[in-house]
Amino acid sequence: MPSRSVCVFTRVNDARYAAGYLVLTIHTMNPTVKKVEYAVRGPIVQRAVQIEKELKEGVKKPFTEVIKANIGDAHAMGQQPITFFRQVLALCSYPELLKDNMFPEDAKNRARRILQACGGSSIGAYSASQGIECVRQDVARYIECRDGGVPCDPDNIYLTTGASDGIVTMLKLLVCGEGPTRTGVMISIPQYPLYSAALAELAAVQVNYYLNEDKCWSMDVSELERSLSEARKYCNPKALCVINPGNPTGQVQSRQCIEDVIRFAAKEHLFLMADEVYQDNVYAEGCQFHSFKKVLFEMGPQYSNTVELASFHSTSKCYMGECGFRGGYMEVINMDPEVKAQLTKLVSVRLCPPVPGQALMDLVVNSPKPGEPSYNNFMKERTATLSLLAEKAKLTKEILNTVPGITCNPVQGAMYSFPKISLPEKAIKEAKALGQAPDMFYCMKMLEETGICLVPGSGFGQKEGTYHFRMTILPPTDKLKILLAKVKEFHQKFTKQYS
């Protein structure tokens, strides 16, 4: 029951609405906001939170806990922070600790360097809007090293509030026009819902291209051509977004595929956006991460001097999993100098990214080196985290593929599986009668009966007539095994119930 104060407030609000006093109502608010959807934190997750409260209040359920496998939040799933990162952040947050002998000298040196670059030697001060200069320099050196010596200009680096901030900022620059000249943005289906949500908010045109599930979610140039040709009938496609390694699909694109995409973008005069936040999360034998920038420059001046590219990275994924610090960067290549000036102006409006996040980004790109006191322990922790994720990626695929009616591609990279599920016709009809997508109906049933929180494939987009769910591989191995066993048991029960 709602409290008396809530009821009184509601009655007062209803009266004010009836009298026309409310300026902001569901009818007068920005209509584009109402079109925004974000499945990763959608209705199923909201219900999961309610169930957790019910369990705490003693409500009896057929399970004792909610297992949230809906989001790539590594530390919430039990992954441990990297010691060196937290040591330096502690020193930056409370510089008095620099006098303490418990911290290694390389951690202290990193902290001193970061603090000296901050106003008043405090990470509580604003930074330059583009980010702390020495951090951008370190990012540039990291990219040069990662890409085998391909030059990187620190002035092309923008530190961001996670990768999401950079992606949305770039979309803001790209979107213009009305009607058939309105900007279209090509996004992969399945996609990470940030893209569809941002495009809805900006009233841009979402242009879908489908990944090939039969070929381990690879990109296909013929599909890009089909999508672009159709879109040009009703909008002005200007950008092509690629997520590699993939979210939610867990694929790692081959070098050949990346070359083909770059040639396609050059031929069709498209701005490339490369979401590369999972670049260290590559598990499958024979797979390797290739940055779009490295491949672009190795293809020669015909492409490296002409193709416009923005690439993104983050502290939230890989072996770090530091989602809450909201650290990230983007690098822009071949951007018109006048547009770049507008980009710098745009980021200045939000003053600066969180400085602790910038500090953490610096540690990711300037981690301990051989011979430094923290190097051995850092490498031990990094390797252990990535090795465990690789084991869980393999385990997830193997167990899901033992379930009749579930088909899971290899989890080559990133943090998720995106299996296809076969649903009985009776279940599909019942879901549609309730106004729900069939895989939403399936996932909600699973949550209520098992306590497992997954995200339906319909929240990411999928080919008509197919159904999926996204599941993170992040839970501890023992809990992941329980989760997978429950998924198997539920699917078999669900199939029998609706057959």
Side-chain angles (χ1 to χ4, degrees), residues 272-345:
L272 266 176
M273 294 176 62
D275 183 338
E276 299 176 334
V277 302
Y278 297 99
Q279 57 190 256
D280 291 318
N281 296 109
V282 177
Y283 318 122
E285 193 173 332
C287 288
Q288 183 181 346
F289 170 74
H290 301 278
S291 79
F292 265 78
K293 182 190 176 184
K294 181 173 190 270
V295 176
L296 175 68
F297 275 76
E298 289 177 348
M299 289 172 70
Q302 177 187 355
Y303 298 100
S304 62
N305 290 343
T306 59
V307 175
E308 297 159 90
L309 169 69
S311 56
F312 309 90
H313 194 20
S314 165
T315 63
S316 300
K317 309 301 177 184
C318 300
Y319 64 93
M320 302 84 72
E322 295 279 11
C323 303
F325 278 97
R326 310 308 300 133
Y329 73 74
M330 67 175 171
E331 181 186 15
V332 295
I333 303 294
N334 293 325
M335 179 173 277
D336 183 313
E338 291 184 328
V339 174
K340 194 173 172 187
Q342 294 296 317
L343 169 59
T344 303
K345 178 187 74 174

Side-chain angles (χ1 to χ4, degrees), residues 59-98:
V59 177
K60 296 297 181 185
K61 303 277 183 186
F63 49 86
T64 57
E65 66 171 333
V66 172
I67 302 178
K68 291 181 179 174
N70 63 293
I71 195 166
D73 192 349
H75 291 186
M77 292 286 102
Q79 182 176 306
Q80 294 303 299
I82 298 295
T83 301
F84 180 77
F85 293 169
R86 290 301 181 91
Q87 286 174 330
V88 179
L89 290 170
L91 291 163
C92 288
S93 298
Y94 188 55
E96 282 294 307
L97 293 173
L98 288 163

Side-chain angles (χ1 to χ4, degrees), residues 43-55 66 68 447 453:
I44 286 184
V45 181
Q46 293 164 17
R47 177 59 187 144
V49 171
Q50 290 176 344
I51 290 174
E52 283 183 319
K53 289 179 181 176
E54 290 170 9
L55 287 169
V66 172
K68 291 181 179 174
L447 174 62
C453 181

